[in-house]
Amino acid sequence: MATHGHFPSSLPASTAIRAIAAPTFTCHRVLSHGIRRRRPLAPGRRASAMDALRVTGAAEPLLRPSAGGGGHPRLRVRTHAQGEGGAGRGAAAEGDAAFSWAPVILPFLFPALGGLLFGYDIGATSGATISVQSADLSGTTWFNLSSVQLGLVASGSLYGALGGSILAYRIADFLGRRIELVTAAALYILGALVTGFAPNFVILIIGRILYGIGIGLAMHGAPLYIAETSPSQIRGTLISLKELFIVLGILIGYLVGSLEIDNVGGWRYMFGFGTPIAAIMAIGMWTLPPSPRWLLLRAVQGKGPMEDNKKKAIQSLRALRGRSASEKVLADDVEDTIVSIKAAYAGQEGEGNIWEVFEGASLKAFTIGGGLVLFQQITGQPSVLYYAASILQTAGFSAASDAARVAILIGLFKLLMTGVAVLKVDDLGRRPLLIGGVGGIVLSLFLLAAYYKILNNFPFVAVGALLLYVGAYQVSFGPISWLMVSEIFPLRTRGRGISLAVLTNFGSNALVTFAFSPLQEFLGPANIFFLFGAIAVLSLVFVILNVPETKGLSLEEIESKILK
């Protein structure tokens, strides 16, 4: 069965971007997290600090701290063509309001429910597969399922997610992030209802696949929408917080499963419980504005009228920022973002296609993002959890005799460690968390191999290794992989690049799920953990050599400074 780690998300500990106040600086902004640069200082002033932040590009914006001197500066981008007159300076000053959390909460919360529903399916399925095949508890006449049929019940949503990933690649850029997530919520509702009321096995599997297609769309659209509507100072925090929602969903699934496991037909309630949550997600996403970046991107691509899309983008920005931003500031932001998008498309025609993802900057981005989500799956996350109950039993934990309680224990620890990552990702940065976490994964896997090989009389070693693995994964591959995927791709190929990364993730997830049983039978637990440990060493080398630090950088800066 898939686990949330298979793909897949960190939170509030934003890093303030500090600048030394000087009257010669002008503040600039592209949408909520635009390009940030500074002009050279006046003659005679020291320029070394400026050189570190200089970025080449079509525009030459400047950075100025917020008027209040503390908190997160609000950034604004303005081109040379807009001049340095009093109106421009006034608009810049007007955009210097301190960062506010209030307008950010709902644009994050409703997309994040897509991740929660994905996690819920993982947790609920663990109990539902027990209930649906029980002669006493299934409440059906077709409870006597074969191992293949039971496997389809457990992994049906995973294969649906593979289909959803392919579908997202074809239609996501046309629908837009918001409508993609509304569609995902509708599929969640439909899949949960069909599964919950399934009169026979075939309808049950159809419902599982429908729900899985919703997962594929949600895991593509949610990080895109959050990344494109959140300020750069807290982008890492918010996208990683989505991983916390996935883990929270798993925990809720375990809890519902433990409550319904002794009831006749309890599996129907386990699968159907996601319906009201999906309805909240659908209503919430319908009320949110579309991504301003997506609107302007479509206009530049010639897929929509420029003036109409500019007006819609201004309306979206107003909804995302609250009522404090003036019409002048919002209009300037839209114009400057159009300049940024046109610069990205200079000398090129049409939107990015599948082959462009494997060229130049996009190939470098796919190597980083695709590599992370691949290693996320093939370093043994489902396998380690498969042995969790037996490891805890050897240590004498009485709760280990109850699979549901053991699952809740692991879920709580995963939630705790994901919270640690969320609080530190915009403080410590992506690379330190990845390197430290993957290093912990390597150590834990070799300890587990040693336990099954030579340390059988020391069960505390296995328990410690299990907790180390879960904790290390949740501060590294769990949240950071999807954060990097959401922010690393160039604007031109971002939608399609993320689609391929999601497809890579679910594809490798399916491969690991399929191959685990025969590998375990052929190699035994000691050797399979040693194999996963060797793969984890390769993943650590990959992270050290290939994964850049993107903390505090806008999406445009990542493209211009890291991918060139």
Side-chain angles (χ1 to χ4, degrees):
M1 185 183 72
T3 69
H4 83 284
H6 302 338
F7 27 88
S9 13
S10 249
L11 302 184
S14 3
T15 302
I17 303 173
R18 302 194 176 190
I20 300 185
T24 54
F25 297 160
T26 305
C27 185
H28 302 275
R29 167 173 49 205
V30 172
L31 296 183
S32 58
H33 48 281
I35 306 172
R36 293 166 292 168
R37 307 173 206 147
R38 294 179 177 176
R39 292 182 185 274
L41 291 169
R45 299 291 298 274
R46 299 178 64 176
S48 58
M50 296 299 95
D51 295 338
L53 293 177
R54 186 174 301 283
V55 182
T56 59
E60 185 74 2
L62 308 175
L63 174 65
R64 184 174 68 181
S66 60
H72 299 287
R74 297 287 297 271
L75 305 177
R76 178 175 182 274
V77 171
R78 188 163 53 85
T79 63
H80 283 305
Q82 292 174 285
E84 292 286 340
R89 287 191 296 271
E94 191 174 359
D96 277 340
F99 167 77
S100 172
W101 274 94
V104 175
I105 295 175
L106 293 182
F108 160 77
L109 177 62
F110 293 123
L113 289 179
L116 184 143
L117 286 164
F118 171 50
Y120 175 78
D121 181 70
I122 295 169
T125 300
S126 64
T129 52
I130 297 174
S131 175
V132 75
Q133 64 175 337
S134 169
D136 298 325
L137 300 175
S138 69
T140 70
T141 58
W142 41 272
F143 61 85
N144 190 21
L145 302 179
S146 68
S147 59
V148 173
Q149 289 175 319
L150 190 61
L152 286 175
V153 173
S155 60
S157 61
L158 175 61
Y159 293 106
L162 274 171
S165 303
I166 297 172
L167 184 64
Y169 178 83
R170 301 299 305 173
I171 68 171
D173 280 346
F174 169 73
L175 292 179
R177 310 355 175 173
R178 171 176 162 268
I179 299 301
E180 181 182 7
L181 288 169
V182 171
T183 305
L187 286 164
Y188 276 143
I189 294 172
L190 181 62
L193 290 176
V194 170
T195 304
F197 289 101
N200 55 56
F201 175 77
V202 173
I203 300 300
L204 173 63
I205 298 304
I206 291 174
R208 300 289 292 142
I209 292 173
L210 287 172
Y211 194 98
I213 296 173
I215 291 174
L217 293 178
M219 295 312 297
H220 174 266
L224 264 176
Y225 188 88
I226 295 171
E228 293 184 352
T229 58
S230 61
S232 60
Q233 306 99 306
I234 58 167
R235 186 180 65 246
T237 289
L238 292 177
I239 297 174
S240 299
L241 181 55
K242 183 178 67 66
E243 172 72 12
L244 189 71
F245 271 64
I246 294 172
V247 179
L248 179 62
I250 293 175
L251 185 56
I252 293 173
Y254 288 154
L255 290 170
V256 172
S258 67
L259 292 174
E260 294 291 338
I261 194 67
D262 293 327
N263 295 330
V264 176
W267 61 272
R268 297 185 184 275
Y269 297 97
M270 296 179 204
F271 283 135
F273 184 79
T275 302
I277 302 175
I280 294 173
M281 175 186 170
I283 295 170
M285 287 307 308
W286 189 260
T287 61
L288 287 177
S291 163
R293 287 172 179 269
W294 175 78
L295 288 169
L296 298 176
L297 177 62
R298 300 298 286 177
V300 171
Q301 291 173 338
K303 303 296 178 63
M306 177 63 75
E307 290 304 317
D308 286 350
N309 278 29
K310 284 166 62 175
K311 292 178 182 179
K312 292 177 182 178
I314 291 174
Q315 293 172 354
S316 295
L317 276 176
R318 185 182 296 107
L320 292 167
R321 291 185 183 175
R323 299 180 179 180
S324 58
S326 73
E327 198 75 18
K328 170 65 177 174
V329 171
L330 297 178
D332 285 348
D333 289 348
V334 166
E335 293 295 338
D336 295 329
T337 302
I338 291 174
V339 171
S340 174
I341 294 174
K342 286 182 176 179
Y345 276 73
Q348 305 178 61
E349 297 181 358
E351 58 184 313
N353 56 49
I354 186 172
W355 302 116
E356 286 191 67
V357 177
F358 301 102
E359 298 174 355
S362 295
L363 175 59
K364 183 175 181 180
F366 183 71
T367 300
I368 296 168
L372 284 174
V373 296
L374 176 65
F375 280 119
Q376 183 192 60
Q377 300 308 312
I378 64 177
T379 48
Q381 166 83 345
S383 307
V384 173
L385 295 182
Y386 178 87
Y387 279 94
S390 63
I391 290 172
L392 290 173
Q393 282 178 332
T394 63
F397 284 88
S398 59
S401 61
D402 185 335
R405 292 180 183 177
V406 172
I408 292 173
L409 175 65
I410 297 298
L412 285 171
F413 186 67
K414 286 165 74 68
L415 187 68
L416 173 65
M417 295 309 298
T418 307
V420 172
V422 160
L423 292 171
K424 291 299 181 181
V425 68
D426 279 329
D427 182 13
L428 296 178
R430 285 66 158 151
R431 272 179 61 85
L433 286 174
L434 273 173
I435 292 172
V438 177
I441 289 174
V442 171
L443 177 60
S444 65
L445 287 169
F446 283 129
L447 282 174
L448 285 171
Y451 168 72
Y452 280 100
K453 195 77 171 178
I454 58 176
L455 299 176
N456 309 78
N457 295 325
F458 301 95
F460 66 87
V461 173
V463 175
L466 171 64
L467 295 178
L468 174 61
Y469 184 95
V470 170
Y473 181 91
Q474 291 308 135
V475 300
S476 57
F477 277 144
I480 307 300
S481 296
W482 290 103
L483 168 58
M484 295 295 296
V485 164
S486 69
E487 64 185 7
I488 198 67
F489 283 98
L491 174 66
R492 180 175 174 80
T493 57
R494 184 169 297 149
R496 294 175 183 267
I498 292 178
S499 296
L500 287 178
V502 172
L503 185 62
T504 299
N505 180 269
F506 283 116
S508 55
N509 187 343
L511 178 63
V512 171
T513 302
F514 174 78
F516 173 73
S517 292
L519 279 176
Q520 186 267 340
E521 182 177 350
F522 179 71
L523 297 175
N527 290 329
I528 199 170
F529 282 129
F530 183 82
L531 173 63
F532 284 135
I535 296 173
V537 170
L538 294 178
S539 71
L540 180 60
V541 173
F542 171 82
V543 169
I544 293 173
L545 296 181
N546 293 284
V547 178
E549 180 57 73
T550 58
K551 178 184 73 171
L553 297 178
S554 71
L555 298 181
E556 289 82 5
E557 284 179 315
I558 292 172
E559 181 172 351
S560 62
K561 296 172 68 174
I562 292 178
L563 298 179
K564 294 300 183 183

